[in-house]
Amino acid sequence: MTAALTLDGLAVDFSGFRAVDGVSMAVEQGELRVLLGANGAGKTTLMDLISGKTRATEGKVLVQGRDVTGLREHRIARAGVGRKFQIPSVFSGLTVRQNLEVAQSKRPSVWSNLRFALGMSEKARLAEVLELIGLGAEAEREAGLLSHGQTQWLELGMLMIQDASVILLDEPTAGMTQGETAKTAEIINRLKGRHTLLVVEHDMAFVRDIAERITVLHLGRVLAEGSVAFIENHPEVKAAYLGKQGIA
Amino acid sequence: MAGLSNYRFWAYAGLAVLLLALPLVGDEFWLNRVAKYLCYGMLGAAVALTWGYAGVLNLGQGLFFGIGAYAMAMSLKLQSYTSLQQGSDTPVPDFMLWNAQPGAPTDLCCITPGSWIWLPFQWQWTGVIVAVILPAVLAGIMGRIIFGQRISGVFVSIITLALVLLVRLVVTDAQPLTNGFNGLTDLGWLTVFSHEFDPYAKGTYYLVAVALIAVLAAARILVATRAGTILQATRDSDTRALYLGYDVPAYQTFFFAVSAAIAGLAGMLYVIVSEFASPSFLELSFSITMVVWAAVGGRGSILGAAVGAILINMIEARVSETEALVEAWKAIIGILFVVTVIYLPKGLSGLAHDGMARLRARRPSFQLKEEAGQ
Ligand SMILES: Nc1ncnc2c1ncn2[C@@H]1O[C@H](COP(=O)(O)OP(=O)(O)OP(=O)(O)O)[C@@H](O)[C@H]1O
Ligand SMILES: [Mg+2]
């Protein structure tokens, strides 16, 4: 079986500075992979390269075996890559329900969207996702009025209903309370299996909650890859984090 | 229908009934004036569509209105007795005779350099069709370039503004082709199945009123479709929409073109009602005035922006009957704009909207009180 997401020697050169410098990895179908690394290690840039925000200068990105390197952002999205940014972004002027409806549309062209009704199966799926992210009661509220945590969950819900095969999450618990973080871990655990996930996260307690395998980035390169226990006891990883707050 | 709640429907229906009933209370002269304001109402709706729904502030909407106006005026000019008087086989606009080089043939093909452009407009429907299609096509090309480059915000405004001024320069400069600053005057009447649309007849008022109602309904339905929701999504966060797989420039361009077509239609109808087309349509002040109408009426509402345009013009007409207020009016409009932008960002329609919401929230408690009273 082909991996859901394959990176092959991916690199980007910002006029001499290589923020991502030859990263190769394969994430299997339905796997949840955590991306660890100190500030400036290149985690966000790696996601930029996968999602098409930044163009890779070297290497390849394969989604479900299909080469998407160099495609425009919305084309990569249609190839099955969903992305959540570090700063949550939803459609603030639309209701929660409308946000999900926009994310749900299977056909992206203007002409095919000159219609009103959702199909029965679409409606059912929408209700299901509303429940999953715990925003059933907020469905008719304007998204701009949601709390920080709710906004993050709505964005997660949009990725679910978009039905992306590969989901990139950049620090999904940033700025959350402990309770909110726990709920987010729960939502993410539900995504596992159905979607393939690549998650950037700093909070080690949270990582232990969700992770199977971890890839550690350091100065734009893969430093180590393995299970949570393996990474936590890895001497080079410890060294890379030395002088910072430490990995725990 | 999706997205169209009840009171909204009644607001639209109410306006339609009101517009169709106006001929019962006004004379022809007044109706002619109102018909012009209804054309402005269409412009208000066109601005709301791009500014309110797409977040694209077009400061050159007058370009599309102007194209619509000139296209219609070219056809009606050739229907005019002033063009038919010349004794040649084909009509020639009178101003071309005055601008022609000595010895030039008295024929539309070559009386002045480029006058052949007028040839297709001998058929009246060329004017009608070009008035709507050319703005849409032009907007489509502009949109592809502007939005395709991910240009947004104030830069779009600057580009559209520059473009309308550029076209105005060309139009005023091409005197032998456009009659320059004087514009196109002494026009004939639109004739459909041998019915002549006399600008001062009720039939012409109805033509404009029905067109406005149709445009408002169509635009409202359009923004209630999924495509309309997606457009609003691109306004709130174009990156989010992009990463959901939407070709954001395609959505922006589509609605930009629809808005341009509406403005072109407004320009076309305006010429039928007012019997002239002038380069003043291409002046910056006119395009900015449209934005003020939409802001005061409420750019988030198609209906609100249209009503804003109509009301402001009606009030202006009243005010300008009083000599002393004519100058003051400009200041009043300026202040009105600033006040709405600061205190009423959703305009009058936003106010009405909030009012309705409050009324609804209150209603149950009213009923309780009544029951307790009994
Ligand atoms: N467009 C760019 N041009 C130049 N340098 C860039 C650009 N984007 C990112 N960088 C640099 O690349 C490095 C990696 O940044 P990146 O944002 O990927 O780090 P990160 O691992 O996500 O860090 P953090 O944990 O702080 O989010 C940083 O030094 C950053 O300054
Ligand atoms: Mg980052």
Side-chain angles (χ1 to χ4, degrees), chain B residues 33-58:
Chain B
R33 208 145 85 177
V34 174
K36 286 179 195 165
Y37 304 156
L38 299 191
C39 297
Y40 292 156
M42 262 181 232
L43 278 177
V47 170
L49 197 56
T50 47
W51 190 24
Y53 283 85
V56 172
L57 177 55
N58 179 354

Side-chain angles (χ1 to χ4, degrees), chain B:
Chain B
M1 190 187 304
L4 267 184
S5 57
N6 251 343
Y7 74 87
R8 247 198 215 119
F9 172 78
W10 288 115
Y12 276 80
L15 180 74
V17 170
L18 186 70
L19 290 181
L20 295 178
L22 273 192
L24 300 177
V25 297
D27 62 16
E28 270 85 1
F29 180 75
W30 183 70
L31 285 177
N32 172 272
R33 208 145 85 177
V34 174
K36 286 179 195 165
Y37 304 156
L38 299 191
C39 297
Y40 292 156
M42 262 181 232
L43 278 177
V47 170
L49 197 56
T50 47
W51 190 24
Y53 283 85
V56 172
L57 177 55
N58 179 354
L59 280 186
Q61 194 77 8
L63 175 61
F64 303 131
F65 182 87
I67 291 173
Y70 268 89
M72 189 72 254
M74 283 165 80
S75 273
L76 294 185
K77 182 75 187 167
L78 293 178
Q79 313 281 326
S80 159
Y81 69 96
T82 57
S83 307
L84 299 169
Q85 264 176 347
Q86 321 303 336
S88 79
D89 300 342
T90 57
V92 173
D94 48 9
F95 69 87
M96 284 192 184
L97 296 171
W98 314 327
N99 284 289
Q101 296 292 327
T106 315
D107 191 298
L108 208 46
C109 75
C110 23
I111 179 165
T112 60
S115 62
W116 53 267
I117 284 191
W118 282 66
L119 281 172
F121 289 88
Q122 287 171 314
W123 189 50
Q124 163 194 285
W125 295 104
T126 306
V128 173
I129 294 165
V130 169
V132 179
I133 301 297
L134 184 59
V137 170
L138 184 66
I141 296 169
M142 283 166 65
R144 264 288 152 209
I145 296 170
I146 295 175
F147 304 125
Q149 299 291 319
R150 305 284 311 271
I151 295 171
S152 61
V154 69
F155 298 102
V156 179
S157 306
I158 292 171
I159 293 171
T160 49
L161 179 156
L163 208 61
V164 71
L165 292 182
L166 180 76
V167 171
R168 178 176 172 273
L169 211 64
V170 171
V171 167
T172 50
D173 222 39
Q175 166 83 22
L177 213 54
T178 62
N179 205 19
F181 281 106
N182 305 316
L184 301 176
T185 51
D186 293 323
L187 306 182
W189 293 345
L190 182 76
T191 312
V192 181
F193 298 127
S194 75
H195 173 83
E196 291 192 316
F197 279 95
D198 173 353
Y200 290 92
K202 284 187 178 171
T204 307
Y205 170 82
Y206 278 120
L207 173 74
V208 177
V210 168
L212 175 65
I213 293 166
V215 161
L216 293 183
R220 188 63 192 81
I221 289 171
L222 194 59
V223 296
T225 62
R226 302 191 82 172
T229 312
I230 294 163
L231 178 75
Q232 295 169 67
T234 69
R235 169 200 65 197
D236 289 350
S237 169
D238 60 340
T239 1
R240 182 71 274 165
L242 205 58
Y243 285 93
L244 286 174
Y246 292 112
D247 184 355
V248 173
Y251 279 83
Q252 292 170 321
T253 303
F254 176 78
F255 283 91
F256 194 59
V258 170
S259 164
I262 294 175
L265 177 68
M268 177 193 113
L269 292 170
Y270 189 87
V271 163
I272 293 171
V273 173
S274 70
E275 298 177 275
F276 76 93
S278 144
S280 66
F281 300 161
L282 302 171
E283 269 164 22
L284 182 56
S285 59
F286 185 50
S287 289
I288 289 179
T289 306
M290 296 173 206
V291 171
V292 176
W293 298 336
V296 172
R299 63 181 149 123
S301 159
I302 305 276
L303 182 72
V307 169
I310 297 168
L311 280 186
I312 288 180
N313 280 286
M314 284 192 156
I315 296 169
E316 182 174 346
R318 258 292 139 74
V319 165
S320 58
E321 282 165 11
T322 318
E323 191 79 46
L325 284 176
V326 173
E327 276 309 303
W329 175 249
K330 282 180 188 149
I332 293 171
I333 276 290
I335 292 167
L336 195 63
F337 181 60
V338 172
V339 167
T340 39
V341 165
I342 296 175
Y343 295 104
L344 268 184
K346 289 181 185 166
L348 295 177
S349 66
L351 204 63
H353 222 289
D354 295 347
M356 284 308 290
R358 214 160 291 157
L359 213 64
R360 279 187 172 180
R362 256 199 197 159
R363 197 168 287 161
S365 66
F366 269 131
Q367 279 167 355
L368 281 181
K369 262 183 214 159
E370 275 166 25
E371 278 162 22
Q374 283 168 1

